[in-house]
Amino acid sequence: MEASWLESRWARPLYLAFVFGLALGLLQVIKLYLRRQRLRRDLRPFPAPPAHWFLGHRKLLQEDKMEKLEEIVEKYPCAFPCWVGPFQAFLFIYDPDYAKAFLNREDPKSQYPYKFMTPCLGKGLLNLNGPKWFQHRRLLTPVLHCDILKTYVKVMAHSVSTMLDKWEKICGTQDATMEVFEHINLMALDIIMRCVFSKETNCQINSTYDPYIKASSEIGEIIFYRLYNFWHLHDIIFKFSPEGHRFQELSKVLHQFTEKVIQDRKKSLEAGMQQDNTRKKPQDLLDIVLCAQAESEDSFSDADVQAEVSTFMLLGHDASAASLSWLLYCLALSPEHQERCREEIRSILKDGSSVSWDQLDEMPYTTMCIKEMFRLIPPVPSISRELSKPLTFPDGRLLPAGMTVVLSIWGLHHNPAFWKSPKVFDPLRFTKENSDQRHPYAYLPFSAGPRHCVGQQFAMLELKVAIALILLRFQVAPDLTRPLSFSNHIILKPKHGIHLHLKKLPGC
């Protein structure tokens, strides 16, 4: 009798809970179904490659071979819808007219992948939107003004020379084969720390920053993996996954390093204030953001300082390291262009004992090689926005508000309709005559419009200094026994490094 009473007491609530849960599940299924139907309707004007009904184009996007994307660009002009699972889709575009229509607007950054980067970077220039982005951009742009950049030339040259001295010790008197990306990565971090944060790290000599380098590399892989994994688009599922746990651990490592940089500078500024009781003029990015915080914590919080330091520290060295590595690889594969650059550099810098801003501005052929590298292997292969209002493309096709659009810079730079023989490394594409004849939106290594890359001049300066000093001291050739493959990161990197034959040149 007692058991029957308990059964009757609990049966009804359990039954109601079951029915309620079933109804919620059914509503969610209907919601997802309607979302899929809406996406299919909105994207119907754009033909697409065949996709798996559940996985979408995941296999296509997660493969390391970029040739697949090149085939799509050739087969599907202008754009194609890319499905990530059954309920999420982006529109990939790679036509200059489409890029112009897309970039000359003020759409916010898309959730994907920028939302995924917020836990490790915070909300800085990369992923802010609206008035706060404008405030940060206006505050930080002077850090990379030409007058400031001129003072960085000697600092950059010193860091590059440190790396080259290491190479000489490894090579000795014999030619050697070496994996160079690891060395370039540390050199790029050394440059960003010394120039933008005025901090001596000696990271090329000691191993203090090795955990930071490893964490930044692994976290990029996880973000890219999450971007094209349907289940992990959902925060809760990702958080409790092994990748989510690892992501949190790596984010803590990055935060520890950036926090130390910030706290060290705060102590230094406080000590300086105690000595002469005056605040000195801001010297670098960290000075600027800390001064902004001192003036008004409401407009520039601790989180804002952390975000901007993290953004410049991680992406500043990551993109520069990838760019220089790809440039060296391209020149190693093209000995005739490498030698022509070397002759030009020698005629200007002599033995390279001193390098100046004005000298670097007198290297047109080397500059063309750098630009062609950015075309052939753009370190940032894509950018994305979420449409705040409908977008009509030049051919009349329309996208509604809320759609995520991805500008494939790789696809744009390999579009055979605008680039003859796009797989060939040809610096002469960037003579003045050829550049003037080209569509202004066919070449966008640093994006365009109001959100173009703030570090463009810094990146070009660093590449010129580095490649000039490298080519004066070494001849590079590819190791053909180790074929190159790309790694799936937000920044395009070599999957297994870049192995080059290094030959020490006489007289340097």
Side-chain angles (χ1 to χ4, degrees):
M1 191 72 181
E2 187 175 345
S4 176
W5 177 80
L6 283 172
E7 287 173 4
S8 62
R9 181 181 179 184
W10 289 104
R12 184 173 177 80
L14 287 173
Y15 174 74
L16 290 174
F18 173 75
V19 171
F20 182 70
L22 192 63
L24 283 180
L26 184 59
L27 285 173
Q28 186 64 24
V29 168
I30 293 171
K31 181 181 175 182
L32 290 172
Y33 173 77
L34 293 175
R35 173 181 174 79
R36 177 175 173 82
Q37 293 302 103
R38 178 176 57 80
L39 284 170
R40 291 181 65 182
R41 182 196 67 224
D42 294 339
L43 294 169
R44 190 171 293 121
F46 302 91
H52 188 276
W53 71 272
F54 186 75
L55 298 177
H57 294 103
R58 177 183 171 186
K59 184 179 179 182
L60 168 71
L61 293 165
Q62 287 195 328
E63 287 182 355
D64 298 326
K65 294 182 178 180
M66 303 299 285
E67 290 86 350
K68 293 288 186 182
L69 180 57
E70 292 170 10
E71 291 173 9
I72 293 173
V73 169
E74 194 165 359
K75 188 174 181 180
Y76 299 91
C78 302
F80 80 96
C82 171
W83 285 88
V84 182
F87 310 113
Q88 182 59 269
F90 313 139
L91 183 72
F92 271 63
I93 64 173
Y94 35 80
D95 176 86
D97 289 318
Y98 272 47
K100 182 178 180 179
F102 170 64
L103 291 173
N104 287 324
R105 294 162 42 109
E106 295 186 355
D107 298 306
K109 290 287 186 80
S110 63
Q111 286 192 61
Y112 314 106
Y114 303 105
K115 181 183 78 168
F116 302 154
M117 302 171 78
T118 300
C120 61
L121 292 182
K123 290 194 173 183
L125 270 185
L126 180 72
N127 47 14
L128 278 173
N129 291 299
K132 193 163 186 178
W133 169 82
F134 183 78
Q135 175 207 10
H136 284 221
R137 176 86 177 207
R138 185 175 59 182
L139 179 71
L140 298 175
T141 297
V143 177
L144 301 172
H145 188 271
C146 286
D147 291 338
I148 302 295
L149 292 179
K150 289 177 183 179
T151 66
Y152 292 162
V153 174
K154 288 185 179 180
V155 178
M156 291 177 175
H158 181 273
S159 294
V160 176
S161 296
T162 300
M163 179 184 73
L164 297 180
D165 291 342
K166 286 170 58 183
W167 287 8
E168 283 195 8
K169 288 180 181 178
I170 294 171
C171 293
T173 57
Q174 303 293 321
D175 298 351
T177 300
M178 186 189 307
E179 196 291 294
V180 298
F181 180 71
E182 179 183 353
H183 296 266
I184 291 173
N185 211 359
L186 286 169
M187 184 270 294
L189 180 62
D190 191 27
I191 286 177
I192 204 78
M193 295 302 294
R194 296 181 70 201
C195 291
V196 179
F197 302 112
S198 305
K199 186 174 180 62
E200 296 284 349
T201 64
N202 293 320
C203 63
Q204 296 192 75
I205 307 302
N206 57 42
S207 57
T208 310
Y209 275 72
D210 285 1
Y212 179 87
I213 291 284
K214 292 175 183 176
S216 64
S217 178
E218 190 176 346
I219 214 163
E221 290 182 13
I222 294 175
I223 290 171
F224 190 91
Y225 165 80
R226 185 184 179 190
L227 181 60
Y228 294 110
N229 186 302
F230 165 63
W231 295 111
H232 287 171
L233 292 178
H234 302 277
D235 290 338
I236 294 177
I237 295 176
F238 176 74
K239 184 177 180 180
F240 291 100
S241 69
E243 291 81 9
H245 285 296
R246 183 59 179 158
F247 182 84
Q248 292 173 47
E249 292 172 1
L250 295 170
S251 295
K252 289 179 182 177
V253 173
L254 298 186
H255 288 158
Q256 287 170 359
F257 276 86
T258 52
E259 184 61 26
K260 186 178 187 310
V261 171
I262 295 167
Q263 293 304 322
D264 287 349
R265 177 59 60 84
K266 282 184 175 180
K267 291 176 184 176
S268 175
L269 289 174
E270 287 172 4
M273 285 282 288
Q274 289 175 1
Q275 286 181 3
D276 54 19
N277 203 31
T278 59
R279 182 176 290 276
K280 296 180 180 179
K281 183 180 178 181
Q283 300 294 316
D284 57 21
L285 179 139
L286 198 46
D287 276 354
I288 286 175
V289 295
L290 289 176
C291 286
Q293 185 184 43
E295 290 174 8
S296 174
E297 276 200 44
D298 292 334
S299 62
F300 219 91
S301 64
D302 284 339
D304 292 329
V305 174
Q306 176 91 32
E308 295 303 354
V309 172
S310 297
T311 299
F312 273 78
M313 190 168 163
L314 178 61
L315 299 182
H317 99 269
D318 227 15
S320 295
S323 301
L324 180 56
S325 299
W326 295 132
L327 179 58
L328 266 182
Y329 180 73
C330 289
L331 292 177
L333 289 174
S334 309
E336 69 281 7
H337 297 305
Q338 179 185 157
E339 189 56 37
R340 189 166 171 183
C341 285
R342 185 177 290 110
E343 290 173 1
E344 179 183 71
I345 292 163
R346 273 182 181 158
S347 69
I348 298 166
L349 299 184
K350 308 306 180 189
D351 62 354
S353 57
S354 66
V355 184
S356 72
W357 173 274
D358 292 334
Q359 288 174 320
L360 295 171
D361 205 32
E362 298 172 5
M363 302 191 305
Y365 196 80
T366 304
T367 302
M368 287 193 293
C369 286
I370 292 172
K371 289 181 178 179
E372 174 64 350
M373 174 277 297
F374 277 124
R375 183 203 65 82
L376 189 64
I377 313 177
V380 180
S382 63
I383 57 173
S384 58
R385 303 279 189 273
E386 185 175 308
L387 300 184
S388 57
K389 57 185 179 181
L391 169 61
T392 302
F393 291 112
D395 57 10
R397 290 190 283 187
L398 176 72
L399 278 182
M403 182 67 71
T404 296
V405 178
V406 178
L407 171 58
S408 172
I409 297 174
W410 180 285
L412 184 72
H413 289 182
H414 289 78
N415 191 330
F418 298 91
W419 300 95
K420 184 180 178 182
S421 304
K423 295 182 182 181
V424 176
F425 182 79
D426 180 11
L428 296 179
R429 301 179 199 270
F430 292 94
T431 61
K432 186 179 186 307
E433 181 184 1
N434 288 334
S435 296
D436 289 344
Q437 293 174 359
R438 189 167 46 247
H439 193 298
Y441 283 78
Y443 177 71
L444 299 173
F446 297 100
S447 186
R451 297 201 68 145
H452 71 277
C453 177
V454 71
Q456 177 176 348
Q457 292 190 74
F458 183 95
M460 288 296 293
L461 177 64
E462 182 175 345
L463 285 172
K464 286 181 181 181
V465 172
I467 200 63
L469 295 180
I470 291 171
L471 293 185
L472 283 177
R473 292 173 66 171
F474 289 94
Q475 186 180 74
V476 295
D479 182 356
L480 299 178
T481 63
R482 299 172 184 262
L484 184 73
S485 59
F486 297 105
S487 183
N488 288 327
H489 287 71
I490 302 301
I491 304 292
L492 199 59
K493 299 179 182 179
K495 189 172 186 177
H496 304 295
I498 294 180
H499 294 80
L500 298 177
H501 293 297
L502 299 180
K503 180 181 179 181
K504 178 72 174 70
L505 296 173
C508 295

